[in-house]
């Protein structure tokens, strides 16, 4: 089974920036839309940003629009998918995951990376 690996999370203060990175091995990730998702305690996992297989961002959640930027590098395998998070807010605190969009195409989620934003 292919394993997604997310990294780049950590502790940040409100207003700061973090960049998350995802390594996605396998051609299935290069040939599909990819998304960054997040899950806060007590909440369902939600899609935060989505990017087409050829590198065009196609969706941002309203809560992150204008602050987050998704990008990908398809030049080689594994595929790299990044999420630049700017002007972080405490409500951005969550575990962040990357995966194919729609996610039912791959049920093997990675461990995610924790982002904690203090006010």
């Amino acid at each position: 089974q292919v394993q997604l690996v997310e990294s780049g999370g950590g502790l940040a203060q409100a207003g700061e920036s973090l960049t998350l990175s995802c390594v996605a091995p396998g051609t299935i990730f290069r040939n599909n839309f990819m998304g960054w998702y997040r899950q806060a305690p007590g909440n369902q996992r939600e899609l935060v940003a989505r990017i087409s297989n050829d590198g065009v961002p196609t969706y941002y959640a309203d809560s992150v629009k204008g602050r987050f930027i998704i990008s990908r590098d398809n030049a080689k395998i594994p595929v790299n998918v990044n999420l630049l998070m700017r002007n972080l807010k405490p409500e951005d605190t969550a575990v962040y995951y990357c995966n194919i969009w729609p996610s039912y195409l791959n049920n093997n989620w990675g461990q995610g990376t924790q982002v904690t934003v203090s006010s």
Side-chain angles (χ1 to χ4, degrees):
Q1 287 183 325
V2 293
Q3 183 68 52
L4 294 149
V5 180
E6 301 92 350
S7 63
L11 181 62
Q13 292 190 333
E16 293 184 339
S17 299
L18 285 174
T19 298
L20 306 184
S21 297
C22 169
V23 177
T27 56
I28 185 174
F29 299 107
R30 186 169 67 180
N31 297 336
N32 283 279
F33 282 39
M34 292 291 292
W36 276 97
Y37 304 75
R38 69 185 180 188
Q39 187 169 20
N43 291 354
Q44 290 188 335
R45 188 151 42 198
E46 63 172 343
L47 178 67
V48 173
R50 181 180 66 212
I51 190 166
S52 70
N53 55 320
D54 57 356
V56 179
T58 60
Y59 171 82
Y60 290 103
D62 286 343
S63 58
V64 307
K65 206 171 289 184
R67 300 188 297 120
F68 289 13
I69 298 175
I70 188 171
S71 61
R72 68 188 292 168
D73 179 5
N74 279 353
K76 56 184 179 181
I77 293 174
V79 172
N80 290 290
V81 184
N82 297 322
L83 186 69
L84 169 61
M85 306 187 297
R86 303 174 300 183
N87 190 22
L88 284 163
K89 302 178 180 181
E91 51 263 43
D92 295 320
T93 295
V95 180
Y96 285 72
Y97 304 86
C98 71
N99 202 353
I100 286 174
W101 182 88
S103 60
Y104 67 77
L105 294 175
N106 177 43
N107 291 320
N108 190 25
W109 293 81
Q111 293 298 308
T113 185
Q114 174 72 49
V115 172
T116 303
V117 184
S118 61
S119 57

